[in-house]
Amino acid sequence: MSDNVYKTKQRDEIVEFFNQHRGKCYTAKEIIKSGEITSGEATVYRTLSKLATQGVLKRFTDGDASCYQLNESEQCEKHFHLKCEKCGRLIHMDCGFMADMKRHIESSHDFVVDIGKTVIYGLCGDCAGINFDKETDNA
């Protein structure tokens, strides 16, 4: 991140929003609808873009919109992600199966996957109302 970051009340407000919602991913519209931000719509969009460019937030393409998450470490670039479409939770997948899948795609399909930007959508166990057996899950 650049040392020449101009700090504003709006920037601090949005960074604090993400600090309060660690591990979750939000679109600009979701942030505005939350009622937790006093900044105007244009300011929210502009600030999110700047924060992503500066590396403070990680940006994911979410259909027609972008969603953002606090960039807590460079490790986020080294694994696939699961995003709950109901609660917005973003789950980091650091398991061997996904590494095998990445290798398969590269060798069998001649395609290099940008795993830091790869998101699989669905519902987390809490939102789906399912208690998955964690002992058989390597993720």
Side-chain angles (χ1 to χ4, degrees), residues 3 11 22 25 41-42 51 55 58 67 76 90 99 118 120:
D3 291 332
R11 179 191 186 281
R22 288 181 180 271
C25 196
E41 187 173 328
L51 289 168
K58 181 151 181 58
C67 64
C76 205
L90 196 70
T118 302
I120 300 171

Side-chain angles (χ1 to χ4, degrees), residues 18-36:
F18 281 99
N19 278 320
Q20 295 296 317
H21 301 280
R22 288 181 180 271
K24 292 192 176 179
C25 196
Y26 294 92
T27 65
K29 286 184 180 185
E30 291 170 332
I31 294 168
I32 294 162
K33 279 183 164 180
S34 76
E36 297 178 50

Side-chain angles (χ1 to χ4, degrees), residues 77-136:
E77 302 293 329
K78 298 179 181 171
H79 55 245
F80 291 85
H81 300 87
L82 302 175
K83 183 173 188 256
C84 180
E85 294 177 295
K86 186 171 181 182
C87 73
R89 181 174 169 212
L90 196 70
I91 301 166
H92 303 273
M93 293 185 65
D94 292 317
C95 63
F97 172 77
M98 296 309 289
D100 292 343
M101 188 171 95
K102 178 183 181 297
R103 280 189 295 277
H104 167 78
I105 291 169
E106 290 173 352
S107 65
S108 298
H109 302 282
D110 197 28
F111 187 84
V112 177
V113 177
D114 184 346
I115 60 173
K117 292 181 181 174
T118 302
V119 181
I120 300 171
Y121 295 90
L123 295 175
C124 69
D126 291 341
C127 290
I130 299 170
N131 184 11
F132 294 106
D133 182 7
K134 301 292 185 200
E135 292 187 24
T136 61

Side-chain angles (χ1 to χ4, degrees), residues 40-68:
E41 187 173 328
T43 301
V44 171
Y45 279 94
R46 184 174 53 252
T47 304
L48 288 171
S49 181
K50 285 181 183 178
L51 289 168
T53 300
Q54 295 166 352
V56 175
L57 300 178
K58 181 151 181 58
R59 179 182 5 230
F60 298 94
T61 302
D62 193 6
D64 293 333
S66 293
C67 64
Y68 300 86

Side-chain angles (χ1 to χ4, degrees), residues 6-23:
Y6 183 66
K7 292 198 176 198
T8 64
K9 175 184 162 249
Q10 294 84 0
R11 179 191 186 281
D12 292 344
E13 182 180 50
I14 290 173
V15 170
E16 181 58 25
F17 174 88
F18 281 99
N19 278 320
Q20 295 296 317
H21 301 280
R22 288 181 180 271

